[in-house]
Amino acid sequence: MFLLKMVMVLLLLGIFYQDIRSRAVYWVFFPLLALAFVLQRLLVGQTPQMVAFESAFPAAFLLIQLLVLSIYFSLKQKRFVNITESLLGPGDILFLFCLCLYFPAINFIAFYIVSLFAIIAGWLTISHIRQQKGTIPLAGLQAAFVLLLIGFGINPANENWFYTFIKPYYAV
């Protein structure tokens, strides 16, 4: 289990480094990361059917998000817009689909929303300070976000971590 976690950390570090440095990530990182995420879930006792079932909702959520974005920008520009050409890199999308294999549904949605807001706010702040614009290395920064969770001893594949964050707000 420790070796697998180290492989996951190294893959996430590789994605972070490559995306920050060159805004491109070697495609081989994504199937390796997906495999590591699935193996991690299998090693904690989940069956392949459970992994597939639990990954289906986050993947469907992500597909709907991508479809809505594509429709929105297509309607706005009055022509079909392929969002992977100028808005999202294919690596960003592949990384998010890898995360669907790791996070349970509630954790994926929480991670997706929190990481997007944090990354956009941070990137806008940095861009404003530096007075320059550029593309956001989304996959790399989200990989760093996952590394932070793992570094703080949080297992994103376990649903209980999310509830420990919100428990103080609904406890009587």
Side-chain angles (χ1 to χ4, degrees), residues 14-93:
I15 291 169
F16 171 73
Y17 177 75
Q18 285 188 337
D19 204 17
I20 294 294
R21 189 164 185 258
S22 63
R23 299 294 193 276
V25 178
Y26 292 125
W27 70 269
V28 74
F29 278 99
F30 301 112
L32 291 174
L33 187 63
L35 179 63
F37 285 161
V38 169
L39 284 174
Q40 192 273 339
R41 290 180 79 172
L42 293 174
L43 287 174
V44 296
Q46 291 186 350
T47 65
Q49 294 82 4
M50 289 172 63
V51 174
F53 181 76
E54 286 187 3
S55 301
F57 180 81
F61 174 80
L62 185 57
L63 282 172
I64 290 169
Q65 289 286 310
L66 296 173
L67 181 64
V68 167
L69 273 175
S70 185
I71 291 170
Y72 172 77
F73 284 106
S74 294
L75 291 173
K76 185 177 176 184
Q77 296 185 13
K78 296 179 181 153
R79 63 177 179 82
F80 175 73
V81 174
N82 182 355
I83 59 173
T84 62
E85 288 179 2
S86 61
L87 301 170
L88 284 174
D92 300 330
I93 295 169

Side-chain angles (χ1 to χ4, degrees), residues 157-169:
N158 182 348
E159 284 188 4
N160 293 332
W161 77 265
F162 178 74
Y163 294 115
T164 60
F165 283 114
I166 64 170
K167 187 176 180 179
Y169 300 107

